Amino acid sequence: MSTVPAAAGGGGPSAPGTLDHPTDTSAAWAEADAIRERVQPPAFPDVEVSIIDFGADPSGSEKSTAAFDAAISAVSEGGGGRVLVPDGTFLTGAIHLQDNVDLHLADDATILFSQDKNDYLPVVKTRFEGVELYNYSPFIYGYQVENVAVTGNGTIDGNADADNWWNWKNPRPALEEEDRQALFQMGEEGVPVEERVFGDGHMLRTNFIEFYESRNVLVQGVTLNNSPMWLLHPVLCENVTIDGVHLESLGPNNDGVNPESSRDVVIKNTFFNTGDDNVAIKSGRNAEGRRIGVPSENILIENNFMEAGHGAIVIGSEMSGGVRNVFAQNNVMDSPDLDRIVRVKTNSVRGGVVENIYVRNNEVHELGGEVVWVDFYYEEGDVGDFTPTVRNIYVENVTSAGGSYGLYLRGYERSPITNINISDSTMNGVETPMLLENVQGLRLTDTVINGEVADDVICQNTVWLGIPEVLVDSGVPDRALPDRTCLSEQFDEDRDWGPRFPAHVARVAQQLRREGVIENSERQALTTAAREAAVDLG
């Protein structure tokens, strides 16, 4: 079975509302309800076998890898059901799931993964930081599987520590860095994935639980700790449910849940205390993300509790394939070691489009960094040819305490961060209310920062026309209009206008001139800029 989410097409809302009601998100949240309705966990036949029956050792003295494999194969080949991990400690190497199997841990069961790297060979197809390769197997791995689950109240211990897996990342310079850069170069040069073979003799860490090109996936109830790096990593998956999981792992790059190039994902009722981002949504790194071209979309994050982490709701930085339609509501964030609430990290090497991000009704009891952080200068900064786009972010009814910034937004002059809406929110105790660079369409409504009403409409710099890769500065100053929109927002660039774009701009500019919104010289500058953009686009 193989499934790869489509690279383009619908899949959720465009920016909600209209120019008359730019902050109306009711239609968007109706789509969140639709995601919840259609993402359903898999069901399994009422069949159960215990790994003990296949020779597993509950004392943890001997490896039970063969027992796991035999039990999973027997259940899958028999039409599906539950593979029970009973009370006890079971030492094992990589576990590979198959169709229609629920790997279920009893309350006092522990799966303890071996520290012998040979137990994760032969290599399998996976991704490392957004680039495909063949590497050590993830500890629990499903490739092109359907109807699979990891459930129960037991513990899955990755057994990573300062002397095992983590030492490949820390201290700096990292032992893995030579292999990491070699892999990234392969991605940029388009080396066939089959030739990107790492594993034995190399030092690239693997992920904890990964499903690849799979559908109908459930991870529920279990506790995960001591991961080599990313904990839960669905790649090119559809219909994924993460429910009531306890993620407690503070090692390097220990992100909690990383949906990558995946569609229809629900993350709920989960506890995060992680060494990196809590939820980090990705879609491939640089040329690799553009080659595969599959965005992450339709992701619902609700009713979770988030403690330590670099960010709670994070997008990037490996997001070159795009991210859209992300919804986060009714979460609680509470830790001075939680750096950011909403975090988007990108640059002109990554490129990609991030759009339609909705965050509401989240309680932030304590925070170490920024409430909303969008930075186009992450890592490499502005040194590439792929200008990113970030637009349509809605933050509603968020109350926070502490942190360094309320809003930290740094776009490019040629590609400003657009349509950011903060409403009905209170940010207390931040050191600096806002840092804003190249932002157009920042609307603050019924919002208080450090006890001061912050309501405003911010439209920085000038009006740019075109598409992100080919933008032309009209020279016309952007500014707020009486309807709380920006002049730049009057020109719809999201629609595929093609050769009609100059005519569209001319028509809108003429109407604005008649209404007295712009001067005739500004009308002429806008229409000229649109024509120049069309010429550059060929």
Side-chain angles (χ1 to χ4, degrees):
M1 175 267 168
S2 175
T3 178
V4 178
S14 59
T18 64
L19 288 178
D20 294 329
H21 302 283
T23 59
D24 179 8
T25 61
S26 56
W29 285 104
E31 174 59 24
D33 294 338
I35 294 171
R36 186 188 305 107
E37 180 68 22
R38 70 174 175 263
V39 175
Q40 296 296 322
F44 301 94
D46 188 17
V47 174
E48 179 178 284
V49 303
S50 171
I51 60 171
I52 295 290
D53 298 334
F54 293 82
D57 175 14
S59 73
S61 300
E62 301 294 331
K63 292 176 185 175
S64 297
T65 310
F68 276 102
D69 183 63
I72 288 168
S73 294
V75 169
S76 180
E77 292 167 6
R82 171 180 287 183
V83 172
L84 175 66
V85 183
D87 294 347
T89 297
F90 298 88
L91 181 66
T92 184
I95 296 172
H96 288 190
L97 294 179
Q98 299 179 34
D99 289 351
N100 304 310
V101 170
D102 173 14
L103 180 66
H104 184 82
L105 282 74
D107 291 357
D108 293 321
T110 296
I111 297 176
L112 179 66
F113 281 95
S114 165
Q115 292 189 337
D116 184 349
K117 306 300 187 295
N118 291 320
D119 288 331
Y120 306 97
L121 297 173
V123 295
V124 300
K125 186 177 182 181
T126 180
R127 281 193 194 182
F128 180 90
E129 294 188 14
V131 180
E132 290 189 321
L133 76 163
Y134 283 81
N135 194 23
Y136 291 109
S137 173
F139 288 4
I140 298 179
Y141 178 69
Y143 179 66
Q144 294 185 349
V145 292
E146 187 167 358
N147 302 327
V148 289
V150 179
T151 65
N153 295 319
T155 298
I156 305 175
D157 188 342
N159 211 8
D161 57 31
D163 299 315
N164 176 54
W165 295 110
W166 293 351
N167 60 319
W168 290 3
K169 180 63 176 178
N170 290 328
R172 306 291 179 90
L175 296 174
E176 72 182 9
E177 193 59 26
E178 182 177 350
D179 285 325
R180 182 173 179 264
Q181 293 303 324
L183 173 64
F184 291 168
Q185 189 63 33
M186 291 177 178
E188 294 304 299
E189 294 176 355
V191 173
V193 177
E194 293 74 16
E195 298 177 17
R196 307 176 195 174
V197 180
F198 288 77
D200 188 27
H202 298 273
M203 292 185 176
L204 292 181
R205 291 163 297 153
T206 190
N207 296 312
F208 203 158
I209 298 181
E210 179 179 276
F211 297 93
Y212 209 103
E213 294 180 15
S214 299
R215 61 181 297 140
N216 304 340
V217 173
L218 170 67
V219 181
Q220 184 177 53
V222 293
T223 293
L224 274 65
N225 53 36
N226 303 321
S227 174
M229 51 181 296
W230 299 352
L231 276 74
L232 292 172
H233 186 211
V235 184
L236 293 164
C237 289
E238 292 187 56
N239 195 53
V240 177
T241 302
I242 310 296
D243 182 12
V245 179
H246 191 101
L247 303 175
E248 185 98 40
S249 193
L250 296 173
N253 303 121
N254 274 205
D255 295 14
V257 182
N258 295 56
E260 185 163 8
S261 302
S262 291
R263 169 189 293 166
D264 285 351
V265 178
V266 173
I267 303 164
K268 61 183 180 179
N269 307 321
T270 289
F271 174 84
F272 293 84
N273 189 35
T274 60
D276 209 309
D277 297 322
N278 293 163
V279 176
I281 303 166
K282 302 175 181 290
S283 60
R285 183 186 183 99
N286 302 353
E288 188 80 345
R290 291 184 284 273
R291 174 183 70 84
I292 297 168
V294 178
S296 278
E297 59 184 342
N298 307 338
I299 297 172
L300 175 60
I301 306 161
E302 60 183 359
N303 302 318
N304 301 287
F305 192 96
M306 297 165 163
E307 286 193 356
H310 294 181
I313 313 300
V314 179
I315 297 168
S317 71
E318 303 88 354
M319 36 61 70
S320 303
V323 174
R324 60 196 181 201
N325 310 333
V326 176
F327 305 88
Q329 65 177 347
N330 303 327
N331 301 288
V332 176
M333 296 94 165
D334 187 6
S335 174
D337 297 320
L338 180 59
D339 294 339
R340 304 163 187 94
I341 301 308
V342 178
R343 183 187 192 195
V344 181
K345 42 186 177 178
T346 186
N347 58 47
S348 60
V349 180
R350 302 285 186 275
V353 177
V354 173
E355 60 185 348
N356 309 337
I357 313 300
Y358 307 92
V359 179
R360 72 176 183 184
N361 303 340
N362 296 284
E363 298 179 25
V364 187
H365 296 162
E366 190 171 11
L367 178 67
E370 297 81 21
V371 178
V372 180
W373 185 95
V374 181
D375 192 1
F376 284 21
Y377 293 88
Y378 184 77
E379 289 190 342
E380 298 96 330
D382 189 11
V383 298
D385 298 324
F386 302 93
T387 299
T389 296
V390 175
R391 60 193 176 206
N392 309 337
I393 297 178
Y394 296 80
V395 177
E396 307 171 68
N397 192 28
V398 171
T399 300
S400 67
S404 52
Y405 290 89
L407 304 178
Y408 184 98
L409 309 176
R410 298 180 69 209
Y412 297 152
E413 184 179 9
R414 68 185 182 279
S415 182
I417 302 165
T418 59
N419 193 26
I420 311 298
N421 300 274
I422 314 295
S423 61
D424 301 302
S425 294
T426 301
M427 306 173 195
N428 292 316
V430 295
E431 296 174 9
T432 303
M434 289 183 281
L435 183 151
L436 308 176
E437 296 179 9
N438 303 310
V439 178
Q440 291 179 323
L442 169 60
R443 275 172 284 272
L444 299 107
T445 306
D446 297 328
T447 292
V448 175
I449 303 179
N450 290 346
E452 299 289 334
V453 175
D455 292 5
D456 202 356
V457 180
I458 296 173
C459 313
Q460 295 181 331
N461 303 330
T462 57
V463 177
W464 288 74
L465 296 171
I467 62 173
E469 291 79 8
V470 183
L471 288 166
V472 175
D473 185 359
S474 69
V476 175
D478 200 13
R479 51 191 181 268
L481 304 183
D483 63 357
R484 290 178 58 82
T485 65
C486 293
L487 176 60
S488 57
E489 294 179 290
Q490 309 304 306
F491 303 95
D492 180 5
E493 298 173 358
D494 297 346
R495 181 173 165 185
D496 184 14
W497 288 102
R500 296 179 296 146
F501 182 66
H504 161 66
V505 172
R507 183 168 58 254
V508 174
Q510 179 65 15
Q511 182 62 33
L512 293 172
R513 171 67 184 90
R514 288 172 181 163
E515 295 171 356
V517 174
I518 61 175
E519 302 294 331
N520 190 55
S521 60
E522 293 177 317
R523 178 192 65 79
Q524 293 174 340
L526 289 163
T527 55
T528 299
R531 287 197 298 270
E532 290 177 359
V535 169
D536 288 340
L537 288 169

